[in-house]
Amino acid sequence: MNCKFYIWTTLILLVGCNTNNTDYEKIASYQDNSVIPLETSVDENTRVLLIFPHADDEITCVGLASYLKEKGATIHLLTLGHNPETEINETRIEELQCAATKIGVEKLEIAGLAINKWDDIMQDNITFWYEHQDSIKTIIKNKIIAYKPHILITYDTEIGGYGHPEHRISAQLTKDIFIENKQDSTFTTERIYQFTLPDKLETFMLSNIPAYEYSMKLTGSNGLPKPDVAIDIVKYWKIKNEVALCHKSQFRTLHKFHMVANQNELKAHSKAFNKEYYTVIE
């Protein structure tokens, strides 16, 4: 039997049969209904750019991206990591291409930068990302100049989602470009949506993640920034789950963050994880 087929079949069985007695009603109570619903003017002339360092990061914003696309926006995705010439990244890039298709991304660009192993991340040993921020910033800026997006979507600049420094650095460089250029009449970007979570959901999803506590100590942060807007993603939940299912090699991690649903819990999962939250930079 083909090895890849065997692994994929095993993963399907795990996703379909695994029951972890998740209390979805309790999770639903962690959603913050006081956060203002997203309202934004979008049409067929609107261009949106997702900027993330890794394949699977785009899962976080599928609801927002789908909402904007439905209103007519064009979506591009810039993934900074995963060198296509390195064999180890072959699977991750195939999964990313699958995800981009599910989202309806018009153009996927992979910068191919080095990304770090988990042990290095937990020791803050990410020399490339610290020492090459000018070149990383140039890659992001060149894409913005070429594509002229009106909206950017990234991680937050406090801790980078669950505490990943490459998340935080890429988001900060994007924010820096926006602040440095927003007074330029030729600069088209109007706002950045940074993915975040409300307090109770943040505690539930991240408090047991080692990188989360480590990142807060490293940065002096109190955690994720407060959400400015929320979007009900029930309408787009199926797309979000399909995007997550593209990333077969990452199922163990995705389950840890409740980002992929067990086959027998689809309805309950969609009701519990029914919102995305964002901090808005304007």
Side-chain angles (χ1 to χ4, degrees):
M1 179 181 291
N2 180 277
C3 183
K4 286 187 176 179
F5 177 79
Y6 177 80
I7 293 171
W8 175 219
T9 303
T10 303
L11 285 170
I12 290 176
L13 291 172
L14 287 172
V15 173
C17 301
N18 179 42
T19 55
N20 54 11
N21 298 316
T22 303
D23 188 344
Y24 287 107
E25 288 188 8
K26 189 171 185 179
I27 295 170
S29 73
Y30 297 149
Q31 303 291 346
D32 189 344
N33 295 321
S34 70
V35 180
I36 299 170
L38 173 68
E39 292 184 9
T40 184
S41 178
V42 176
D43 58 29
E44 65 275 6
N45 296 312
T46 304
R47 294 180 296 276
V48 180
L49 176 59
L50 320 182
I51 303 172
F52 294 109
H54 314 117
D56 77 15
D57 290 338
E58 76 287 345
I59 301 172
T60 58
C61 69
V62 171
L64 176 56
S66 299
Y67 165 81
L68 297 172
K69 185 172 179 61
E70 184 180 61
K71 287 182 170 291
T74 302
I75 313 288
H76 281 203
L77 169 58
L78 173 61
T79 301
L80 295 168
H82 305 295
N83 186 341
E85 296 180 2
T86 304
E87 185 176 351
I88 195 172
N89 287 314
E90 181 179 345
T91 296
R92 298 299 302 275
I93 290 172
E94 288 177 357
E95 292 171 351
L96 179 60
Q97 290 168 337
C98 169
T101 299
K102 296 288 186 183
I103 296 170
V105 169
E106 183 182 70
K107 186 172 183 179
L108 165 64
E109 292 190 28
I110 302 172
L113 301 179
I115 54 177
N116 292 275
K117 296 180 180 179
W118 195 248
D119 288 346
D120 291 328
I121 290 165
M122 289 306 298
Q123 297 177 40
D124 196 32
N125 184 24
I126 57 165
T127 305
F128 176 87
W129 281 76
Y130 284 135
E131 294 185 353
H132 294 83
Q133 290 190 41
D134 286 345
S135 59
I136 298 170
K137 186 176 181 180
T138 296
I139 292 170
I140 297 171
K141 187 174 181 179
N142 285 344
K143 176 60 181 178
I144 292 173
I145 291 172
Y147 179 46
K148 299 187 182 303
H150 302 95
I151 294 171
L152 304 176
I153 304 176
T154 70
Y155 276 114
D156 68 284
T157 50
E158 284 290 324
I159 62 170
Y162 59 83
H164 199 305
E166 293 167 5
H167 294 177
R168 186 184 74 249
I169 291 170
S170 60
Q172 184 63 59
L173 293 175
T174 302
K175 181 180 177 181
D176 290 346
I177 292 167
F178 177 71
I179 292 173
E180 291 165 6
N181 293 275
K182 67 178 182 176
Q183 301 303 324
D184 183 342
S185 60
T186 65
F187 190 73
T188 57
T189 304
E190 300 167 358
R191 68 187 70 92
I192 304 175
Y193 291 108
Q194 295 184 342
F195 178 82
T196 191
L197 295 169
D199 289 343
K200 290 182 179 179
L201 199 56
E202 178 181 354
T203 299
F204 167 73
M205 294 183 70
L206 304 180
S207 60
N208 293 323
I209 305 299
Y212 174 70
E213 292 293 336
Y214 179 68
S215 180
M216 288 196 292
K217 291 178 181 178
L218 188 67
T219 62
S221 172
N222 292 320
L224 291 169
K226 182 179 178 180
D228 293 316
V229 296
I231 177 171
D232 188 320
I233 66 166
V234 170
K235 186 176 182 179
Y236 314 109
W237 183 89
K238 183 179 179 181
I239 300 173
K240 185 163 184 145
N241 195 55
E242 288 177 349
V243 170
L245 288 172
C246 284
H247 294 282
K248 301 182 290 292
S249 69
Q250 304 302 303
F251 274 0
R252 183 183 295 274
T253 299
L254 295 180
H255 272 293
K256 185 186 301 183
F257 290 106
H258 301 276
M259 293 181 75
V260 62
N262 294 326
Q263 189 65 34
N264 61 334
E265 298 177 336
L266 299 180
K267 188 173 181 180
H269 190 286
S270 66
K271 287 184 176 180
F273 295 96
N274 64 344
K275 292 180 184 292
E276 287 177 0
Y277 300 86
Y278 295 89
T279 297
V280 184
I281 309 296
E282 294 182 301

